[in-house]
Amino acid sequence: MKNRRATHSARVIAVTLLCASSLLVTTGCFGTFVTLQRLYHWNMTIDSNKFARWGVFVATVVVPIYPSATIFDMIFTNSVEFWSGRNPMTGDADGARTLHSESGEDVSMRMREDGAVDVSIRAPSKPDTHLVVVHEGDSVAAYDDHGALVARGVPLPEAAQ
């Protein structure tokens, strides 16, 4: 009887230590939930009718796509992001970063070796826009595919004058 009690106590201690260590390891590891956000933004582009979007949402919860995306983010992508500082679902492993807006626009940015930034803007029902953003002296300039200047930004002290 004494041997069984010791085994039970050892299991309780092991489980308690495992739970405590998992709390210490995951403290502050909330993550960005990129997969879940992409699924949400995709759902927003399905239809302008809110009832259609709601129907797709309910279907993806029942099937269970939303819960799977959440679990995938919690276990895999947020853990990788916590330990490496990069989320593997954002595409920034190859130097690219993509942002998604609620209106359905996607903005992808990729840093070049020469310091310029390639920017691609995709919007529903609009042609894609490609820009190259470069640092020129004390300003930043954006050029289109043909090399024409689209915009120039100046430092804030000069802009305030």
Side-chain angles (χ1 to χ4, degrees):
M1 195 55 119
K2 187 176 184 180
N3 197 12
R4 182 181 244 184
R5 190 175 288 165
T7 304
H8 178 70
S9 296
R11 286 183 186 161
V12 168
I13 290 170
V15 169
T16 304
L17 287 174
L18 181 64
C19 289
S21 65
S22 70
L23 287 174
L24 290 173
V25 170
T26 59
T27 301
C29 181
F30 184 71
T32 55
F33 288 86
V34 172
T35 310
L36 187 62
Q37 286 182 23
R38 284 186 179 175
L39 179 59
Y40 171 79
H41 290 296
W42 168 81
N43 191 16
M44 293 297 290
T45 64
I46 292 296
D47 197 329
S48 61
N49 183 335
K50 68 179 180 179
F51 296 107
R53 286 194 311 255
W54 176 79
V56 170
F57 169 74
V58 169
T60 54
V61 168
V62 170
V63 169
I65 296 172
Y66 266 99
S68 299
T70 304
I71 290 168
F72 179 76
D73 273 337
M74 284 186 336
I75 293 172
F76 176 69
T77 58
N78 291 348
S79 297
V80 170
E81 182 179 17
F82 176 76
W83 291 107
S84 70
R86 295 184 143 189
N87 191 310
M89 298 303 290
T90 59
D92 58 2
D94 63 350
R97 177 80 179 175
T98 302
L99 306 170
H100 307 281
S101 72
E102 288 187 19
S103 63
E105 293 178 336
D106 293 335
V107 178
S108 298
M109 296 168 282
R110 180 182 315 273
M111 180 70 85
R112 292 181 177 180
E113 287 186 24
D114 64 357
V117 179
D118 288 321
V119 179
S120 296
I121 304 168
R122 284 202 166 125
S125 306
K126 293 182 181 176
D128 291 355
T129 303
H130 302 283
L131 301 170
V132 177
V133 179
V134 296
H135 186 265
E136 295 178 340
D138 60 347
S139 66
V140 176
Y143 295 93
D144 65 9
D145 287 332
H146 306 291
L149 180 66
V150 175
R152 182 177 304 278
V154 295
L156 285 177
E158 292 178 22
Q161 294 177 353

mmCIF file of all heavy atoms in Angstrom, residues 30-61:
data_model
loop_
_atom_site.group_PDB
_atom_site.id
_atom_site.type_symbol
_atom_site.label_atom_id
_atom_site.label_comp_id
_atom_site.label_asym_id
_atom_site.label_seq_id
_atom_site.Cartn_x
_atom_site.Cartn_y
_atom_site.Cartn_z
ATOM 1 N N PHE A 30 1.580 35.547 -26.148
ATOM 2 C CA PHE A 30 0.214 35.638 -26.663
ATOM 3 C C PHE A 30 0.199 35.464 -28.165
ATOM 4 O O PHE A 30 -0.626 34.744 -28.704
ATOM 5 C CB PHE A 30 -0.414 36.976 -26.243
ATOM 6 C CG PHE A 30 -1.841 37.095 -26.656
ATOM 7 C CD1 PHE A 30 -2.808 36.335 -26.039
ATOM 8 C CD2 PHE A 30 -2.208 37.944 -27.670
ATOM 9 C CE1 PHE A 30 -4.132 36.433 -26.425
ATOM 10 C CE2 PHE A 30 -3.519 38.050 -28.064
ATOM 11 C CZ PHE A 30 -4.488 37.293 -27.437
ATOM 12 N N GLY A 31 1.092 36.094 -28.874
ATOM 13 C CA GLY A 31 1.196 35.933 -30.305
ATOM 14 C C GLY A 31 0.260 36.819 -31.101
ATOM 15 O O GLY A 31 -0.611 37.484 -30.552
ATOM 16 N N THR A 32 0.426 36.795 -32.414
ATOM 17 C CA THR A 32 -0.353 37.665 -33.286
ATOM 18 C C THR A 32 -1.504 36.952 -33.984
ATOM 19 O O THR A 32 -2.314 37.601 -34.631
ATOM 20 C CB THR A 32 0.561 38.285 -34.356
ATOM 21 O OG1 THR A 32 1.239 37.230 -35.037
ATOM 22 C CG2 THR A 32 1.554 39.249 -33.745
ATOM 23 N N PHE A 33 -1.576 35.623 -33.904
ATOM 24 C CA PHE A 33 -2.661 34.841 -34.493
ATOM 25 C C PHE A 33 -2.864 35.201 -35.965
ATOM 26 O O PHE A 33 -3.964 35.517 -36.402
ATOM 27 C CB PHE A 33 -3.956 35.016 -33.697
ATOM 28 C CG PHE A 33 -3.928 34.327 -32.368
ATOM 29 C CD1 PHE A 33 -3.391 34.953 -31.258
ATOM 30 C CD2 PHE A 33 -4.413 33.039 -32.233
ATOM 31 C CE1 PHE A 33 -3.348 34.314 -30.039
ATOM 32 C CE2 PHE A 33 -4.377 32.389 -31.013
ATOM 33 C CZ PHE A 33 -3.851 33.020 -29.904
ATOM 34 N N VAL A 34 -1.791 35.151 -36.752
ATOM 35 C CA VAL A 34 -1.827 35.548 -38.151
ATOM 36 C C VAL A 34 -2.757 34.655 -38.972
ATOM 37 O O VAL A 34 -3.519 35.146 -39.804
ATOM 38 C CB VAL A 34 -0.403 35.546 -38.755
ATOM 39 C CG1 VAL A 34 -0.428 35.772 -40.245
ATOM 40 C CG2 VAL A 34 0.439 36.601 -38.073
ATOM 41 N N THR A 35 -2.728 33.360 -38.756
ATOM 42 C CA THR A 35 -3.583 32.447 -39.517
ATOM 43 C C THR A 35 -5.049 32.763 -39.279
ATOM 44 O O THR A 35 -5.844 32.840 -40.217
ATOM 45 C CB THR A 35 -3.289 30.981 -39.132
ATOM 46 O OG1 THR A 35 -1.888 30.747 -39.204
ATOM 47 C CG2 THR A 35 -4.019 30.020 -40.045
ATOM 48 N N LEU A 36 -5.409 32.974 -38.026
ATOM 49 C CA LEU A 36 -6.788 33.315 -37.687
ATOM 50 C C LEU A 36 -7.186 34.660 -38.293
ATOM 51 O O LEU A 36 -8.295 34.807 -38.821
ATOM 52 C CB LEU A 36 -6.958 33.340 -36.163
ATOM 53 C CG LEU A 36 -8.371 33.527 -35.644
ATOM 54 C CD1 LEU A 36 -9.269 32.379 -36.076
ATOM 55 C CD2 LEU A 36 -8.349 33.627 -34.126
ATOM 56 N N GLN A 37 -6.291 35.633 -38.271
ATOM 57 C CA GLN A 37 -6.583 36.943 -38.871
ATOM 58 C C GLN A 37 -6.772 36.831 -40.378
ATOM 59 O O GLN A 37 -7.664 37.466 -40.946
ATOM 60 C CB GLN A 37 -5.454 37.932 -38.573
ATOM 61 C CG GLN A 37 -5.440 38.419 -37.156
ATOM 62 C CD GLN A 37 -4.325 39.426 -36.939
ATOM 63 O OE1 GLN A 37 -3.849 40.064 -37.870
ATOM 64 N NE2 GLN A 37 -3.902 39.576 -35.699
ATOM 65 N N ARG A 38 -5.950 36.012 -41.039
ATOM 66 C CA ARG A 38 -6.101 35.832 -42.487
ATOM 67 C C ARG A 38 -7.442 35.179 -42.816
ATOM 68 O O ARG A 38 -8.093 35.551 -43.788
ATOM 69 C CB ARG A 38 -4.966 34.988 -43.041
ATOM 70 C CG ARG A 38 -3.687 35.749 -43.157
ATOM 71 C CD ARG A 38 -2.642 34.929 -43.835
ATOM 72 N NE ARG A 38 -1.427 35.709 -43.951
ATOM 73 C CZ ARG A 38 -0.306 35.227 -44.426
ATOM 74 N NH1 ARG A 38 -0.244 33.984 -44.840
ATOM 75 N NH2 ARG A 38 0.756 35.987 -44.498
ATOM 76 N N LEU A 39 -7.846 34.203 -42.017
ATOM 77 C CA LEU A 39 -9.138 33.569 -42.221
ATOM 78 C C LEU A 39 -10.263 34.583 -42.035
ATOM 79 O O LEU A 39 -11.199 34.652 -42.834
ATOM 80 C CB LEU A 39 -9.310 32.397 -41.253
ATOM 81 C CG LEU A 39 -10.626 31.637 -41.316
ATOM 82 C CD1 LEU A 39 -10.852 31.050 -42.708
ATOM 83 C CD2 LEU A 39 -10.637 30.534 -40.263
ATOM 84 N N TYR A 40 -10.162 35.413 -41.015
ATOM 85 C CA TYR A 40 -11.165 36.452 -40.760
ATOM 86 C C TYR A 40 -11.237 37.435 -41.930
ATOM 87 O O TYR A 40 -12.317 37.767 -42.416
ATOM 88 C CB TYR A 40 -10.836 37.189 -39.463
ATOM 89 C CG TYR A 40 -11.690 38.409 -39.235
ATOM 90 C CD1 TYR A 40 -12.981 38.298 -38.750
ATOM 91 C CD2 TYR A 40 -11.194 39.677 -39.526
ATOM 92 C CE1 TYR A 40 -13.771 39.417 -38.555
ATOM 93 C CE2 TYR A 40 -11.975 40.800 -39.333
ATOM 94 C CZ TYR A 40 -13.262 40.667 -38.841
ATOM 95 O OH TYR A 40 -14.041 41.778 -38.661
ATOM 96 N N HIS A 41 -10.082 37.904 -42.415
ATOM 97 C CA HIS A 41 -10.070 38.858 -43.522
ATOM 98 C C HIS A 41 -10.588 38.220 -44.815
ATOM 99 O O HIS A 41 -11.257 38.881 -45.601
ATOM 100 C CB HIS A 41 -8.678 39.446 -43.728
ATOM 101 C CG HIS A 41 -8.276 40.358 -42.617
ATOM 102 N ND1 HIS A 41 -8.924 41.537 -42.341
ATOM 103 C CD2 HIS A 41 -7.303 40.264 -41.681
ATOM 104 C CE1 HIS A 41 -8.374 42.119 -41.303
ATOM 105 N NE2 HIS A 41 -7.380 41.370 -40.880
ATOM 106 N N TRP A 42 -10.300 36.934 -45.015
ATOM 107 C CA TRP A 42 -10.859 36.233 -46.161
ATOM 108 C C TRP A 42 -12.379 36.195 -46.061
ATOM 109 O O TRP A 42 -13.077 36.433 -47.029
ATOM 110 C CB TRP A 42 -10.293 34.816 -46.240
ATOM 111 C CG TRP A 42 -11.032 33.957 -47.215
ATOM 112 C CD1 TRP A 42 -10.870 33.940 -48.568
ATOM 113 C CD2 TRP A 42 -12.068 33.026 -46.916
ATOM 114 N NE1 TRP A 42 -11.750 33.042 -49.124
ATOM 115 C CE2 TRP A 42 -12.493 32.464 -48.125
ATOM 116 C CE3 TRP A 42 -12.670 32.603 -45.737
ATOM 117 C CZ2 TRP A 42 -13.487 31.498 -48.202
ATOM 118 C CZ3 TRP A 42 -13.664 31.642 -45.802
ATOM 119 C CH2 TRP A 42 -14.072 31.111 -47.023
ATOM 120 N N ASN A 43 -12.880 35.917 -44.865
ATOM 121 C CA ASN A 43 -14.336 35.872 -44.651
ATOM 122 C C ASN A 43 -14.957 37.235 -44.939
ATOM 123 O O ASN A 43 -16.068 37.312 -45.457
ATOM 124 C CB ASN A 43 -14.639 35.422 -43.224
ATOM 125 C CG ASN A 43 -16.101 35.097 -43.013
ATOM 126 O OD1 ASN A 43 -16.855 34.916 -43.952
ATOM 127 N ND2 ASN A 43 -16.495 35.020 -41.765
ATOM 128 N N MET A 44 -14.256 38.314 -44.641
ATOM 129 C CA MET A 44 -14.784 39.663 -44.900
ATOM 130 C C MET A 44 -14.871 39.965 -46.394
ATOM 131 O O MET A 44 -15.624 40.838 -46.803
ATOM 132 C CB MET A 44 -13.925 40.720 -44.209
ATOM 133 C CG MET A 44 -13.971 40.674 -42.699
ATOM 134 S SD MET A 44 -15.601 40.997 -42.039
ATOM 135 C CE MET A 44 -15.772 42.717 -42.418
ATOM 136 N N THR A 45 -14.111 39.253 -47.223
ATOM 137 C CA THR A 45 -14.136 39.507 -48.663
ATOM 138 C C THR A 45 -15.119 38.609 -49.410
ATOM 139 O O THR A 45 -15.278 38.759 -50.619
ATOM 140 C CB THR A 45 -12.737 39.314 -49.279
ATOM 141 O OG1 THR A 45 -12.344 37.945 -49.133
ATOM 142 C CG2 THR A 45 -11.722 40.230 -48.639
ATOM 143 N N ILE A 46 -15.784 37.697 -48.727
ATOM 144 C CA ILE A 46 -16.704 36.752 -49.361
ATOM 145 C C ILE A 46 -17.831 37.480 -50.080
ATOM 146 O O ILE A 46 -18.110 37.233 -51.241
ATOM 147 C CB ILE A 46 -17.295 35.783 -48.308
ATOM 148 C CG1 ILE A 46 -16.219 34.858 -47.774
ATOM 149 C CG2 ILE A 46 -18.451 34.966 -48.878
ATOM 150 C CD1 ILE A 46 -15.623 33.936 -48.797
ATOM 151 N N ASP A 47 -18.493 38.388 -49.388
ATOM 152 C CA ASP A 47 -19.665 39.070 -49.940
ATOM 153 C C ASP A 47 -19.880 40.334 -49.125
ATOM 154 O O ASP A 47 -19.534 40.392 -47.950
ATOM 155 C CB ASP A 47 -20.885 38.149 -49.834
ATOM 156 C CG ASP A 47 -22.024 38.578 -50.738
ATOM 157 O OD1 ASP A 47 -22.167 39.794 -50.975
ATOM 158 O OD2 ASP A 47 -22.764 37.700 -51.213
ATOM 159 N N SER A 48 -20.472 41.342 -49.738
ATOM 160 C CA SER A 48 -20.762 42.565 -48.990
ATOM 161 C C SER A 48 -21.981 42.385 -48.090
ATOM 162 O O SER A 48 -22.190 43.173 -47.172
ATOM 163 C CB SER A 48 -20.983 43.733 -49.944
ATOM 164 O OG SER A 48 -22.095 43.458 -50.788
ATOM 165 N N ASN A 49 -22.755 41.346 -48.316
ATOM 166 C CA ASN A 49 -23.933 41.057 -47.509
ATOM 167 C C ASN A 49 -23.502 40.462 -46.167
ATOM 168 O O ASN A 49 -22.846 39.416 -46.129
ATOM 169 C CB ASN A 49 -24.839 40.081 -48.257
ATOM 170 C CG ASN A 49 -26.133 39.782 -47.513
ATOM 171 O OD1 ASN A 49 -26.209 39.890 -46.298
ATOM 172 N ND2 ASN A 49 -27.132 39.397 -48.275
ATOM 173 N N LYS A 50 -23.869 41.129 -45.079
ATOM 174 C CA LYS A 50 -23.425 40.669 -43.762
ATOM 175 C C LYS A 50 -24.012 39.307 -43.400
ATOM 176 O O LYS A 50 -23.397 38.547 -42.663
ATOM 177 C CB LYS A 50 -23.758 41.704 -42.688
ATOM 178 C CG LYS A 50 -25.222 41.896 -42.403
ATOM 179 C CD LYS A 50 -25.432 42.936 -41.313
ATOM 180 C CE LYS A 50 -26.894 43.141 -41.006
ATOM 181 N NZ LYS A 50 -27.070 44.125 -39.953
ATOM 182 N N PHE A 51 -25.181 38.954 -43.935
ATOM 183 C CA PHE A 51 -25.778 37.656 -43.641
ATOM 184 C C PHE A 51 -25.028 36.531 -44.352
ATOM 185 O O PHE A 51 -24.877 35.436 -43.805
ATOM 186 C CB PHE A 51 -27.264 37.657 -44.011
ATOM 187 C CG PHE A 51 -28.056 38.628 -43.178
ATOM 188 C CD1 PHE A 51 -28.529 39.801 -43.726
ATOM 189 C CD2 PHE A 51 -28.299 38.377 -41.833
ATOM 190 C CE1 PHE A 51 -29.241 40.706 -42.958
ATOM 191 C CE2 PHE A 51 -29.012 39.276 -41.059
ATOM 192 C CZ PHE A 51 -29.492 40.444 -41.621
ATOM 193 N N ALA A 52 -24.542 36.810 -45.553
ATOM 194 C CA ALA A 52 -23.723 35.826 -46.271
ATOM 195 C C ALA A 52 -22.415 35.594 -45.521
ATOM 196 O O ALA A 52 -21.978 34.448 -45.353
ATOM 197 C CB ALA A 52 -23.449 36.298 -47.685
ATOM 198 N N ARG A 53 -21.783 36.687 -45.065
ATOM 199 C CA ARG A 53 -20.538 36.547 -44.293
ATOM 200 C C ARG A 53 -20.784 35.784 -43.005
ATOM 201 O O ARG A 53 -19.976 34.946 -42.603
ATOM 202 C CB ARG A 53 -19.940 37.918 -44.001
ATOM 203 C CG ARG A 53 -19.292 38.559 -45.191
ATOM 204 C CD ARG A 53 -18.417 39.736 -44.813
ATOM 205 N NE ARG A 53 -19.058 40.671 -43.923
ATOM 206 C CZ ARG A 53 -19.526 41.855 -44.283
ATOM 207 N NH1 ARG A 53 -19.414 42.248 -45.521
ATOM 208 N NH2 ARG A 53 -20.096 42.642 -43.406
ATOM 209 N N TRP A 54 -21.927 36.056 -42.355
ATOM 210 C CA TRP A 54 -22.267 35.349 -41.124
ATOM 211 C C TRP A 54 -22.472 33.863 -41.413
ATOM 212 O O TRP A 54 -22.014 33.015 -40.647
ATOM 213 C CB TRP A 54 -23.526 35.957 -40.492
ATOM 214 C CG TRP A 54 -23.972 35.208 -39.279
ATOM 215 C CD1 TRP A 54 -23.453 35.282 -38.021
ATOM 216 C CD2 TRP A 54 -25.018 34.242 -39.211
ATOM 217 N NE1 TRP A 54 -24.111 34.438 -37.175
ATOM 218 C CE2 TRP A 54 -25.084 33.780 -37.890
ATOM 219 C CE3 TRP A 54 -25.903 33.723 -40.148
ATOM 220 C CZ2 TRP A 54 -25.995 32.821 -37.475
ATOM 221 C CZ3 TRP A 54 -26.814 32.778 -39.734
ATOM 222 C CH2 TRP A 54 -26.856 32.332 -38.417
ATOM 223 N N GLY A 55 -23.129 33.546 -42.517
ATOM 224 C CA GLY A 55 -23.342 32.147 -42.884
ATOM 225 C C GLY A 55 -22.032 31.415 -43.123
ATOM 226 O O GLY A 55 -21.853 30.275 -42.679
ATOM 227 N N VAL A 56 -21.104 32.065 -43.819
ATOM 228 C CA VAL A 56 -19.789 31.465 -44.050
ATOM 229 C C VAL A 56 -19.059 31.299 -42.720
ATOM 230 O O VAL A 56 -18.414 30.271 -42.474
ATOM 231 C CB VAL A 56 -18.965 32.311 -45.047
ATOM 232 C CG1 VAL A 56 -17.520 31.836 -45.121
ATOM 233 C CG2 VAL A 56 -19.613 32.286 -46.413
ATOM 234 N N PHE A 57 -19.162 32.297 -41.840
ATOM 235 C CA PHE A 57 -18.529 32.207 -40.520
ATOM 236 C C PHE A 57 -19.072 31.005 -39.747
ATOM 237 O O PHE A 57 -18.310 30.203 -39.194
ATOM 238 C CB PHE A 57 -18.747 33.495 -39.726
ATOM 239 C CG PHE A 57 -18.348 33.378 -38.288
ATOM 240 C CD1 PHE A 57 -17.017 33.363 -37.921
ATOM 241 C CD2 PHE A 57 -19.311 33.255 -37.297
ATOM 242 C CE1 PHE A 57 -16.644 33.237 -36.591
ATOM 243 C CE2 PHE A 57 -18.951 33.131 -35.978
ATOM 244 C CZ PHE A 57 -17.615 33.114 -35.622
ATOM 245 N N VAL A 58 -20.394 30.853 -39.705
ATOM 246 C CA VAL A 58 -21.001 29.732 -38.973
ATOM 247 C C VAL A 58 -20.540 28.409 -39.580
ATOM 248 O O VAL A 58 -20.181 27.478 -38.848
ATOM 249 C CB VAL A 58 -22.545 29.851 -38.973
ATOM 250 C CG1 VAL A 58 -23.187 28.577 -38.452
ATOM 251 C CG2 VAL A 58 -22.980 31.038 -38.134
ATOM 252 N N ALA A 59 -20.515 28.332 -40.903
ATOM 253 C CA ALA A 59 -20.067 27.097 -41.561
ATOM 254 C C ALA A 59 -18.616 26.779 -41.217
ATOM 255 O O ALA A 59 -18.272 25.618 -40.962
ATOM 256 C CB ALA A 59 -20.246 27.218 -43.072
ATOM 257 N N THR A 60 -17.766 27.797 -41.179
ATOM 258 C CA THR A 60 -16.352 27.545 -40.881
ATOM 259 C C THR A 60 -16.101 27.274 -39.401
ATOM 260 O O THR A 60 -15.063 26.726 -39.047
ATOM 261 C CB THR A 60 -15.459 28.714 -41.354
ATOM 262 O OG1 THR A 60 -15.940 29.921 -40.790
ATOM 263 C CG2 THR A 60 -15.442 28.801 -42.861
ATOM 264 N N VAL A 61 -17.050 27.626 -38.558
ATOM 265 C CA VAL A 61 -16.935 27.243 -37.145
ATOM 266 C C VAL A 61 -17.406 25.805 -36.976
ATOM 267 O O VAL A 61 -16.783 25.013 -36.267
ATOM 268 C CB VAL A 61 -17.742 28.202 -36.233
ATOM 269 C CG1 VAL A 61 -17.857 27.641 -34.833
ATOM 270 C CG2 VAL A 61 -17.080 29.560 -36.186
#
